[in-house]
Amino acid sequence: MLKFFLFILLIVGIYYLLFRKKTDSANHSKQKPHSIMLECVECGTYVSNEEVIIKNGKYYCSKECAKLH
């Protein structure tokens, strides 16, 4: 009975060590999203996808380039 208990404990320990590392790396990649750089149609400046202005399906770096004033 003691051998069975130690065997189960060993299996659980190995399972914990193997899958804990994978979940840590998966959480790390979720914390830092990758930014895509897009080129402004008007002036050619590259802007991240978080800051870009989209007008008529084209990417602009600023309101001036998009002529939104």
Side-chain angles (χ1 to χ4, degrees):
M1 186 68 168
L2 182 60
K3 289 181 182 180
F4 179 73
F5 177 71
L6 290 176
F7 178 73
I8 296 297
L9 188 61
L10 179 68
I11 297 296
V12 170
I14 291 172
Y15 178 82
Y16 177 73
L17 289 175
L18 292 177
F19 289 103
R20 185 185 75 181
K21 291 181 182 179
K22 290 182 182 179
T23 57
D24 288 345
S25 63
N27 289 338
H28 181 67
S29 65
K30 290 180 184 177
Q31 292 174 355
K32 185 179 178 185
H34 296 286
S35 181
I36 299 171
M37 300 301 286
L38 302 167
E39 186 177 7
C40 176
V41 175
E42 190 70 25
C43 68
T45 303
Y46 283 91
V47 184
S48 72
N49 62 331
E50 299 162 351
E51 299 175 3
V52 74
I53 297 170
I54 302 173
K55 179 182 173 187
N56 296 331
K58 297 180 182 177
Y59 303 115
Y60 297 95
C61 66
S62 65
K63 291 180 181 180
E64 290 79 24
C65 283
K67 297 176 177 74
L68 293 177
H69 358 226

